[in-house]
C-alpha cells in the first residue's frame, strides 16, 4: 500500500503541540525527538523504521539572519546545511567536503518545496543551517552570513532529519518560524509568542495532497 501519512519532526514538545493542534492524525504524525542533529537523526530514523510515510518535514522555531527574514516570519528551506561539520584550521573553518569525508549539504525535495511554497506564499525560501551550538555573538553571525549568502535561518535539527530521510529514500523538507535574529544571545529580544503563532498558522499547509 502506498504511504499516505506525512511525518513532521520537531525538537521539543511545545513545537509539536503547536503543529499538532487541529490537524488530523490520520494524515499527519507529529513527534518531538529531541534537540540537536544526533537526536534528530536517531529519532527520525526510528520513526521511519516503524511506519510508512510519504514525506518527512523538520519543523520548529529558529533564529533568522537579520535583513533576510523578519522575526515572526516563516522560512522554507531549499537546502539543509550542517554548517559546523568540518575542521578548524589556522586559516579558518574547513568544511567536510574539503576533508573528503562526504557532504554537509542536503537538498530539500523540490516537489515538496514547491507544494509547501504554494500553500505558504509569504514564506521566505533559502538555506537553513544546522548547528550543534547556537550562534551567540555578532562575529559568528557575520562569519556564517558570509559563508552562506543564501542562508535565511539557523536551527539545530534539520540536517539530522534530512540525513535520516535520505537514508530511507523519503522526500524531505524543512519549515521554520523565526523567534529571534541570529547573533548575540539576548533572550529579552526573543519573540517566542510570535514564532509559535506563526508555527500554528503554518501547520495546516503541511497537509499536502
Amino acid at each position: 500500500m502506498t504511504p499516505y501519512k506525512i511525518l513532521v519532526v520537531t525538537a521539543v514538545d511545545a513545537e509539536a503541540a503547536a503543529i499538532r493542534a487541529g490537524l488530523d492524525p490520520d494524515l499527519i504524525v507529529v513527534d518531538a525527538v529531541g534537540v540537536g542533529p544526533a537526536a534528530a537523526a536517531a529519532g527520525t530514523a526510528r520513526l521511519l523504521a516503524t511506519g510508512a510515510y510519504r514525506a518527512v518535514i523538520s519543523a520548529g522555531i529558529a533564529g533568522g539572519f537579520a535583513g533576510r527574514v523578519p522575526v515572526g516570519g516563516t522560512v522554507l528551506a531549499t537546502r539543509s546545511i550542517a554548517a559546523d561539520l568540518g575542521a578548524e584550521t589556522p586559516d579558518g573553518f574547513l568544511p567536510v567536503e574539503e576533508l573528503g569525508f562526504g557532504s554537509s549539504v542536503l537538498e530539500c525535495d523540490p516537489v515538496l518545496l514547491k507544494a509547501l511554497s504554494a500553500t505558504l506564499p509569504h514564506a521566505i525560501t533559502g538555506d537553513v543551517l544546522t548547528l550543534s551550538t547556537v550562534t551567540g555573538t555578532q562575529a559568528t553571525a557575520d562569519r556564517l552570513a558570509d559563508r552562506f549568502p543564501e542562508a535565511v535561518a539557523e536551527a539545530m535539527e534539520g540536517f539530522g532529519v534530512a540525513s535520516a530521510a535520505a537514508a530511507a529514500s523519503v522526500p524531505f523538507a524543512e519549515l521554520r518560524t523565526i523567534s529571534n535574529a541570529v547573533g548575540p544571545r539576548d533572550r529579552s529580544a526573543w519573540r517566542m509568542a510570535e514564532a509559535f503563532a506563526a508555527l500554528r498558522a503554518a501547520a495546516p499547509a503541511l497537509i499536502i495532497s
Side-chain angles (χ1 to χ4, degrees), residues 22-101:
L23 293 182
D24 185 348
D26 289 333
L27 298 177
I28 292 189
V29 174
V30 186
D31 207 336
V33 298
V35 175
T44 304
R46 170 182 57 81
L47 292 165
L48 290 174
T50 56
Y53 298 98
R54 61 187 178 94
V56 180
I57 299 172
S58 176
I61 306 302
F65 282 91
R68 300 179 184 179
V69 58
V71 172
T74 299
V75 163
L76 291 169
T78 52
R79 303 185 298 174
S80 180
I81 300 176
D84 54 5
L85 185 61
E88 187 178 24
T89 78
D91 297 321
F93 183 78
L94 195 64
V96 70
E97 286 87 349
E98 295 186 35
L99 297 173
F101 296 142

